[in-house]
Amino acid sequence: MNNRILNVLNYKWGHKKIVTSWIGNLEKNQLVYNATGFRIARPVLKSNQDAAGVHLDINAGGQIRKDKNALATIWIPLIGFNKNYTLRFAPGSHTVNHTISFIKKKKITPVVEKSYEKKFKFVRPTLKIGQAILLHSNLLHGGSRNFGKKTRVSLDVRILNLKRFSN
């Protein structure tokens, strides 16, 4: 793992005891440790089903967590670096105590309701090759439909704080 990222985590968490994970479809029990996953989003004209709704990673793995320092996510674009492609996020939303329900159909979901999403302003940065977005677990992000002409490809890395993350 990149030393800069480890230093940020060490500063924030006070240690470097971490593990990475990939979280896919939780209904199919796709939670894999020491792994990461590629994500694609086809252009809107071809499909609008690829982008996950606006969500918080704090509830990753199908558990409601109050510990905002349990994990961090790195979103790394591989194809698609401008505002038509990049991940949307709501600056400052990580400081809000999101007291909304995450239970849908008796299952825990990290996705928020559209009415709640509308309370926040979202941005889509333009990134350069090699840049990534480090997301706080309580930061609202997602719902990032691909308005470009190419399929967006990104790499998601979730870093779990072993002293705070539990299954």
Side-chain angles (χ1 to χ4, degrees):
M1 176 154 308
N2 181 300
N3 281 334
R4 283 185 170 171
I5 293 168
L6 285 174
N7 288 336
V8 167
L9 295 174
N10 187 46
Y11 175 77
K12 178 79 173 160
W13 293 341
H15 66 86
K16 294 182 183 181
K17 294 182 180 180
I18 63 167
V19 66
T20 61
S21 74
W22 178 77
I23 300 169
N25 185 337
L26 293 176
E27 291 178 3
K28 296 179 181 177
N29 222 10
Q30 294 176 334
L31 175 62
V32 183
Y33 292 101
N34 291 319
T36 190
F38 292 96
R39 302 262 187 219
I40 66 162
R42 291 167 287 190
V44 171
L45 296 175
K46 295 181 182 177
S47 170
N48 63 4
Q49 303 297 319
D50 293 336
V54 173
H55 61 280
L56 303 167
D57 286 346
I58 194 170
N59 298 326
Q63 288 187 16
I64 294 178
R65 291 187 184 78
K66 294 185 183 199
D67 188 345
K68 296 176 185 173
N69 289 314
L71 66 114
T73 300
I74 304 171
W75 184 81
I76 307 161
L78 302 176
I79 298 173
F81 298 92
N82 69 36
K83 293 178 183 183
N84 287 329
Y85 295 94
T86 57
L87 184 68
R88 313 169 54 225
F89 62 90
S93 64
H94 68 289
T95 63
V96 175
N97 183 15
H98 302 285
T99 57
I100 55 178
S101 175
F102 292 101
I103 308 292
K104 291 183 183 174
K105 298 180 184 176
K106 297 183 181 180
K107 294 190 182 208
I108 296 169
T109 176
V111 178
V112 302
E113 297 289 335
K114 289 274 186 199
S115 59
Y116 188 73
E117 172 187 339
K118 290 179 182 178
K119 295 179 181 183
F120 298 88
K121 182 179 179 185
F122 286 77
V123 298
R124 291 180 86 153
T126 294
L127 301 174
K128 296 177 183 172
I129 292 174
Q131 289 184 318
I133 301 172
L134 179 61
L135 301 167
H136 188 279
S137 67
N138 200 47
L139 183 78
L140 285 169
H141 64 282
S144 309
R145 296 171 72 188
N146 178 356
F147 295 110
K149 294 181 180 177
K150 300 176 188 173
T151 296
R152 174 178 70 220
V153 180
S154 61
L155 187 62
D156 288 358
V157 179
R158 288 197 176 72
I159 305 166
L160 309 180
N161 181 336
L162 287 179
K163 291 187 176 183
R164 296 180 170 206
F165 189 89
S166 63
N167 269 343

